[in-house]
Amino acid sequence: MGTVLEGMRHVQWHELRHARGSASQIPGMLSRIAWGDTRSAEDALSDLGRWIAALAVFDATAAAVPFLWELAAVDTVKDRAGVLGLLGTILAHGHAHHPEWTRDAHLAVLAGRTTAERLAADGDPAVSAAAGELLVACGGHVCAACSPR
């Protein structure tokens, strides 16, 4: 695996949840996004989006976000713009019954703002556009879960 996604092994994925249950499959999805062929990477990104962001965020979402930022910054990842789009989706969603999951997921996305700034100048127009959209979302982010108490 090299150094990309190396930190995944330190996360207790089996103790975290996503929309369909245990998050133990998330490392495999992230790995397919990183190293899979185009079809496999697209499928993994789509599945991951449905499991950690489409309808709500989960505790596994916040754990996955740093790895998504890492993938967005690696030139060999097939769909970096899609990864940035998933980060935007995470920032736009929450979890009604677990505001702490919402806050943690949103703060993890916001923590990658410097990466988004760098990617806004990327040579790939799709990546630079997606990073620009994410920067706008980060700059305008306001939600009840993230507001100071």
Side-chain angles (χ1 to χ4, degrees):
M1 249 194 308
T3 59
V4 176
L5 301 179
E6 186 176 301
M8 278 194 315
R9 61 190 169 93
H10 300 295
V11 177
Q12 299 297 314
W13 295 103
H14 65 282
E15 294 178 6
L16 303 176
R17 308 286 299 162
H18 61 60
R20 297 193 177 203
S22 170
S24 60
Q25 311 91 341
I26 289 179
M29 289 181 189
L30 291 167
S31 294
R32 288 194 345 250
I33 294 166
W35 298 289
D37 60 30
T38 301
R39 177 67 181 193
S40 177
E42 287 173 356
D43 289 347
L45 186 59
S46 177
D47 288 345
L48 189 61
R50 283 194 304 276
W51 289 13
I52 68 167
L55 300 175
V57 298
F58 298 85
D59 57 352
T61 307
V65 167
F67 302 110
L68 291 170
W69 277 118
E70 186 177 349
L71 292 173
V74 175
D75 290 338
T76 57
V77 170
K78 307 284 189 283
D79 189 3
R80 295 185 302 140
V83 173
L84 290 166
L86 177 53
L87 288 164
T89 299
I90 292 167
L91 191 61
H93 290 97
H95 196 293
H97 301 293
H98 293 281
E100 70 281 6
W101 292 353
T102 302
R103 183 190 63 249
D104 293 348
H106 290 181
L107 292 177
V109 172
L110 294 170
R113 186 180 178 102
T114 57
T115 300
E117 289 169 350
R118 184 171 45 80
L119 292 174
D122 193 89
D124 181 334
V127 171
S128 61
E133 290 174 17
L134 186 52
L135 282 170
V136 169
C138 287
H141 179 70
V142 178
C143 77
C146 296
S147 298
R149 302 207 190 293

PDB file of all heavy atoms in Angstrom, residues 26-49:
ATOM      1  N   ILE A  26     -15.120  -0.185   4.919  1.00  0.00           N
ATOM      2  CA  ILE A  26     -14.647   1.114   4.422  1.00  0.00           C
ATOM      3  C   ILE A  26     -13.180   1.084   3.991  1.00  0.00           C
ATOM      4  O   ILE A  26     -12.855   1.645   2.933  1.00  0.00           O
ATOM      5  CB  ILE A  26     -14.961   2.239   5.423  1.00  0.00           C
ATOM      6  CG1 ILE A  26     -16.472   2.490   5.403  1.00  0.00           C
ATOM      7  CG2 ILE A  26     -14.191   3.512   5.088  1.00  0.00           C
ATOM      8  CD1 ILE A  26     -16.961   3.553   6.337  1.00  0.00           C
ATOM      9  N   PRO A  27     -12.270   0.455   4.703  1.00  0.00           N
ATOM     10  CA  PRO A  27     -10.884   0.427   4.216  1.00  0.00           C
ATOM     11  C   PRO A  27     -10.760  -0.181   2.814  1.00  0.00           C
ATOM     12  O   PRO A  27      -9.991   0.309   1.983  1.00  0.00           O
ATOM     13  CB  PRO A  27     -10.142  -0.410   5.255  1.00  0.00           C
ATOM     14  CG  PRO A  27     -10.937  -0.242   6.497  1.00  0.00           C
ATOM     15  CD  PRO A  27     -12.364  -0.154   6.041  1.00  0.00           C
ATOM     16  N   GLY A  28     -11.516  -1.220   2.547  1.00  0.00           N
ATOM     17  CA  GLY A  28     -11.488  -1.817   1.220  1.00  0.00           C
ATOM     18  C   GLY A  28     -11.990  -0.867   0.154  1.00  0.00           C
ATOM     19  O   GLY A  28     -11.432  -0.797  -0.954  1.00  0.00           O
ATOM     20  N   MET A  29     -13.037  -0.111   0.476  1.00  0.00           N
ATOM     21  CA  MET A  29     -13.560   0.873  -0.474  1.00  0.00           C
ATOM     22  C   MET A  29     -12.538   1.970  -0.739  1.00  0.00           C
ATOM     23  O   MET A  29     -12.312   2.354  -1.889  1.00  0.00           O
ATOM     24  CB  MET A  29     -14.852   1.487   0.052  1.00  0.00           C
ATOM     25  CG  MET A  29     -16.009   0.565   0.048  1.00  0.00           C
ATOM     26  SD  MET A  29     -17.447   1.456   0.663  1.00  0.00           S
ATOM     27  CE  MET A  29     -18.577   0.110   0.826  1.00  0.00           C
ATOM     28  N   LEU A  30     -11.937   2.472   0.325  1.00  0.00           N
ATOM     29  CA  LEU A  30     -10.926   3.515   0.157  1.00  0.00           C
ATOM     30  C   LEU A  30      -9.747   2.998  -0.662  1.00  0.00           C
ATOM     31  O   LEU A  30      -9.212   3.719  -1.521  1.00  0.00           O
ATOM     32  CB  LEU A  30     -10.454   4.025   1.520  1.00  0.00           C
ATOM     33  CG  LEU A  30     -11.486   4.826   2.320  1.00  0.00           C
ATOM     34  CD1 LEU A  30     -11.029   5.005   3.764  1.00  0.00           C
ATOM     35  CD2 LEU A  30     -11.773   6.166   1.672  1.00  0.00           C
ATOM     36  N   SER A  31      -9.364   1.753  -0.436  1.00  0.00           N
ATOM     37  CA  SER A  31      -8.265   1.161  -1.211  1.00  0.00           C
ATOM     38  C   SER A  31      -8.628   1.036  -2.684  1.00  0.00           C
ATOM     39  O   SER A  31      -7.798   1.293  -3.554  1.00  0.00           O
ATOM     40  CB  SER A  31      -7.905  -0.218  -0.640  1.00  0.00           C
ATOM     41  OG  SER A  31      -7.366  -0.081   0.653  1.00  0.00           O
ATOM     42  N   ARG A  32      -9.868   0.645  -2.979  1.00  0.00           N
ATOM     43  CA  ARG A  32     -10.289   0.550  -4.383  1.00  0.00           C
ATOM     44  C   ARG A  32     -10.320   1.919  -5.042  1.00  0.00           C
ATOM     45  O   ARG A  32      -9.992   2.053  -6.219  1.00  0.00           O
ATOM     46  CB  ARG A  32     -11.641  -0.142  -4.484  1.00  0.00           C
ATOM     47  CG  ARG A  32     -11.525  -1.630  -4.201  1.00  0.00           C
ATOM     48  CD  ARG A  32     -12.738  -2.462  -4.587  1.00  0.00           C
ATOM     49  NE  ARG A  32     -13.979  -1.801  -4.861  1.00  0.00           N
ATOM     50  CZ  ARG A  32     -15.063  -1.856  -4.084  1.00  0.00           C
ATOM     51  NH1 ARG A  32     -15.047  -2.534  -2.961  1.00  0.00           N
ATOM     52  NH2 ARG A  32     -16.174  -1.254  -4.428  1.00  0.00           N
ATOM     53  N   ILE A  33     -10.687   2.949  -4.294  1.00  0.00           N
ATOM     54  CA  ILE A  33     -10.655   4.304  -4.841  1.00  0.00           C
ATOM     55  C   ILE A  33      -9.212   4.691  -5.151  1.00  0.00           C
ATOM     56  O   ILE A  33      -8.923   5.295  -6.177  1.00  0.00           O
ATOM     57  CB  ILE A  33     -11.302   5.316  -3.868  1.00  0.00           C
ATOM     58  CG1 ILE A  33     -12.799   5.022  -3.719  1.00  0.00           C
ATOM     59  CG2 ILE A  33     -11.072   6.750  -4.342  1.00  0.00           C
ATOM     60  CD1 ILE A  33     -13.459   5.735  -2.550  1.00  0.00           C
ATOM     61  N   ALA A  34      -8.296   4.299  -4.280  1.00  0.00           N
ATOM     62  CA  ALA A  34      -6.883   4.653  -4.443  1.00  0.00           C
ATOM     63  C   ALA A  34      -6.209   3.895  -5.574  1.00  0.00           C
ATOM     64  O   ALA A  34      -5.463   4.485  -6.360  1.00  0.00           O
ATOM     65  CB  ALA A  34      -6.123   4.404  -3.140  1.00  0.00           C
ATOM     66  N   TRP A  35      -6.463   2.591  -5.670  1.00  0.00           N
ATOM     67  CA  TRP A  35      -5.668   1.767  -6.580  1.00  0.00           C
ATOM     68  C   TRP A  35      -6.477   0.973  -7.596  1.00  0.00           C
ATOM     69  O   TRP A  35      -5.885   0.292  -8.436  1.00  0.00           O
ATOM     70  CB  TRP A  35      -4.797   0.801  -5.781  1.00  0.00           C
ATOM     71  CG  TRP A  35      -3.830   1.527  -4.922  1.00  0.00           C
ATOM     72  CD1 TRP A  35      -2.739   2.226  -5.339  1.00  0.00           C
ATOM     73  CD2 TRP A  35      -3.871   1.652  -3.510  1.00  0.00           C
ATOM     74  NE1 TRP A  35      -2.100   2.781  -4.267  1.00  0.00           N
ATOM     75  CE2 TRP A  35      -2.776   2.447  -3.126  1.00  0.00           C
ATOM     76  CE3 TRP A  35      -4.730   1.177  -2.527  1.00  0.00           C
ATOM     77  CZ2 TRP A  35      -2.510   2.764  -1.804  1.00  0.00           C
ATOM     78  CZ3 TRP A  35      -4.465   1.504  -1.213  1.00  0.00           C
ATOM     79  CH2 TRP A  35      -3.368   2.281  -0.858  1.00  0.00           C
ATOM     80  N   GLY A  36      -7.795   1.029  -7.521  1.00  0.00           N
ATOM     81  CA  GLY A  36      -8.598   0.234  -8.429  1.00  0.00           C
ATOM     82  C   GLY A  36      -8.579   0.785  -9.846  1.00  0.00           C
ATOM     83  O   GLY A  36      -8.200   1.931 -10.083  1.00  0.00           O
ATOM     84  N   ASP A  37      -9.010  -0.056 -10.786  1.00  0.00           N
ATOM     85  CA  ASP A  37      -9.177   0.444 -12.144  1.00  0.00           C
ATOM     86  C   ASP A  37     -10.339   1.439 -12.136  1.00  0.00           C
ATOM     87  O   ASP A  37     -11.017   1.607 -11.118  1.00  0.00           O
ATOM     88  CB  ASP A  37      -9.400  -0.707 -13.139  1.00  0.00           C
ATOM     89  CG  ASP A  37     -10.641  -1.535 -12.828  1.00  0.00           C
ATOM     90  OD1 ASP A  37     -11.631  -1.004 -12.274  1.00  0.00           O
ATOM     91  OD2 ASP A  37     -10.620  -2.734 -13.138  1.00  0.00           O
ATOM     92  N   THR A  38     -10.570   2.094 -13.229  1.00  0.00           N
ATOM     93  CA  THR A  38     -11.560   3.170 -13.267  1.00  0.00           C
ATOM     94  C   THR A  38     -12.926   2.693 -12.793  1.00  0.00           C
ATOM     95  O   THR A  38     -13.560   3.338 -11.955  1.00  0.00           O
ATOM     96  CB  THR A  38     -11.650   3.759 -14.687  1.00  0.00           C
ATOM     97  OG1 THR A  38     -10.361   4.258 -15.044  1.00  0.00           O
ATOM     98  CG2 THR A  38     -12.668   4.872 -14.760  1.00  0.00           C
ATOM     99  N   ARG A  39     -13.390   1.576 -13.303  1.00  0.00           N
ATOM    100  CA  ARG A  39     -14.719   1.062 -12.942  1.00  0.00           C
ATOM    101  C   ARG A  39     -14.800   0.709 -11.453  1.00  0.00           C
ATOM    102  O   ARG A  39     -15.742   1.073 -10.758  1.00  0.00           O
ATOM    103  CB  ARG A  39     -15.042  -0.159 -13.807  1.00  0.00           C
ATOM    104  CG  ARG A  39     -16.337  -0.833 -13.503  1.00  0.00           C
ATOM    105  CD  ARG A  39     -17.490   0.052 -13.858  1.00  0.00           C
ATOM    106  NE  ARG A  39     -18.730  -0.631 -13.532  1.00  0.00           N
ATOM    107  CZ  ARG A  39     -19.888  -0.250 -13.930  1.00  0.00           C
ATOM    108  NH1 ARG A  39     -19.993   0.817 -14.689  1.00  0.00           N
ATOM    109  NH2 ARG A  39     -20.957  -0.903 -13.592  1.00  0.00           N
ATOM    110  N   SER A  40     -13.800   0.004 -10.953  1.00  0.00           N
ATOM    111  CA  SER A  40     -13.778  -0.386  -9.545  1.00  0.00           C
ATOM    112  C   SER A  40     -13.731   0.836  -8.637  1.00  0.00           C
ATOM    113  O   SER A  40     -14.438   0.902  -7.620  1.00  0.00           O
ATOM    114  CB  SER A  40     -12.575  -1.297  -9.284  1.00  0.00           C
ATOM    115  OG  SER A  40     -12.503  -1.635  -7.926  1.00  0.00           O
ATOM    116  N   ALA A  41     -12.913   1.819  -9.001  1.00  0.00           N
ATOM    117  CA  ALA A  41     -12.798   3.043  -8.206  1.00  0.00           C
ATOM    118  C   ALA A  41     -14.117   3.812  -8.200  1.00  0.00           C
ATOM    119  O   ALA A  41     -14.550   4.306  -7.151  1.00  0.00           O
ATOM    120  CB  ALA A  41     -11.669   3.909  -8.736  1.00  0.00           C
ATOM    121  N   GLU A  42     -14.762   3.912  -9.364  1.00  0.00           N
ATOM    122  CA  GLU A  42     -16.053   4.615  -9.438  1.00  0.00           C
ATOM    123  C   GLU A  42     -17.106   3.919  -8.595  1.00  0.00           C
ATOM    124  O   GLU A  42     -17.873   4.570  -7.884  1.00  0.00           O
ATOM    125  CB  GLU A  42     -16.520   4.709 -10.889  1.00  0.00           C
ATOM    126  CG  GLU A  42     -15.743   5.684 -11.723  1.00  0.00           C
ATOM    127  CD  GLU A  42     -16.128   5.635 -13.198  1.00  0.00           C
ATOM    128  OE1 GLU A  42     -16.962   4.782 -13.596  1.00  0.00           O
ATOM    129  OE2 GLU A  42     -15.586   6.455 -13.956  1.00  0.00           O
ATOM    130  N   ASP A  43     -17.165   2.592  -8.694  1.00  0.00           N
ATOM    131  CA  ASP A  43     -18.132   1.829  -7.894  1.00  0.00           C
ATOM    132  C   ASP A  43     -17.882   2.020  -6.400  1.00  0.00           C
ATOM    133  O   ASP A  43     -18.827   2.211  -5.629  1.00  0.00           O
ATOM    134  CB  ASP A  43     -18.075   0.342  -8.240  1.00  0.00           C
ATOM    135  CG  ASP A  43     -18.641   0.021  -9.619  1.00  0.00           C
ATOM    136  OD1 ASP A  43     -19.297   0.900 -10.227  1.00  0.00           O
ATOM    137  OD2 ASP A  43     -18.413  -1.112 -10.088  1.00  0.00           O
ATOM    138  N   ALA A  44     -16.629   1.966  -5.993  1.00  0.00           N
ATOM    139  CA  ALA A  44     -16.293   2.128  -4.576  1.00  0.00           C
ATOM    140  C   ALA A  44     -16.652   3.527  -4.088  1.00  0.00           C
ATOM    141  O   ALA A  44     -17.203   3.686  -2.989  1.00  0.00           O
ATOM    142  CB  ALA A  44     -14.813   1.845  -4.342  1.00  0.00           C
ATOM    143  N   LEU A  45     -16.374   4.537  -4.900  1.00  0.00           N
ATOM    144  CA  LEU A  45     -16.702   5.914  -4.513  1.00  0.00           C
ATOM    145  C   LEU A  45     -18.215   6.087  -4.394  1.00  0.00           C
ATOM    146  O   LEU A  45     -18.706   6.708  -3.442  1.00  0.00           O
ATOM    147  CB  LEU A  45     -16.112   6.903  -5.519  1.00  0.00           C
ATOM    148  CG  LEU A  45     -16.247   8.375  -5.188  1.00  0.00           C
ATOM    149  CD1 LEU A  45     -15.584   8.712  -3.851  1.00  0.00           C
ATOM    150  CD2 LEU A  45     -15.638   9.219  -6.304  1.00  0.00           C
ATOM    151  N   SER A  46     -18.957   5.512  -5.321  1.00  0.00           N
ATOM    152  CA  SER A  46     -20.411   5.578  -5.271  1.00  0.00           C
ATOM    153  C   SER A  46     -20.961   4.874  -4.030  1.00  0.00           C
ATOM    154  O   SER A  46     -21.807   5.425  -3.313  1.00  0.00           O
ATOM    155  CB  SER A  46     -20.990   4.949  -6.544  1.00  0.00           C
ATOM    156  OG  SER A  46     -22.390   4.930  -6.487  1.00  0.00           O
ATOM    157  N   ASP A  47     -20.476   3.660  -3.777  1.00  0.00           N
ATOM    158  CA  ASP A  47     -20.923   2.928  -2.589  1.00  0.00           C
ATOM    159  C   ASP A  47     -20.576   3.683  -1.316  1.00  0.00           C
ATOM    160  O   ASP A  47     -21.407   3.822  -0.415  1.00  0.00           O
ATOM    161  CB  ASP A  47     -20.279   1.539  -2.530  1.00  0.00           C
ATOM    162  CG  ASP A  47     -20.831   0.579  -3.564  1.00  0.00           C
ATOM    163  OD1 ASP A  47     -21.895   0.861  -4.151  1.00  0.00           O
ATOM    164  OD2 ASP A  47     -20.178  -0.464  -3.789  1.00  0.00           O
ATOM    165  N   LEU A  48     -19.369   4.185  -1.247  1.00  0.00           N
ATOM    166  CA  LEU A  48     -18.942   4.917  -0.058  1.00  0.00           C
ATOM    167  C   LEU A  48     -19.832   6.135   0.167  1.00  0.00           C
ATOM    168  O   LEU A  48     -20.238   6.411   1.301  1.00  0.00           O
ATOM    169  CB  LEU A  48     -17.475   5.330  -0.182  1.00  0.00           C
ATOM    170  CG  LEU A  48     -16.836   5.916   1.068  1.00  0.00           C
ATOM    171  CD1 LEU A  48     -16.836   4.906   2.216  1.00  0.00           C
ATOM    172  CD2 LEU A  48     -15.414   6.371   0.764  1.00  0.00           C
ATOM    173  N   GLY A  49     -20.149   6.846  -0.899  1.00  0.00           N
ATOM    174  CA  GLY A  49     -21.037   8.003  -0.775  1.00  0.00           C
ATOM    175  C   GLY A  49     -22.394   7.629  -0.215  1.00  0.00           C
ATOM    176  O   GLY A  49     -22.941   8.335   0.647  1.00  0.00           O
TER     177      GLY A  49
END
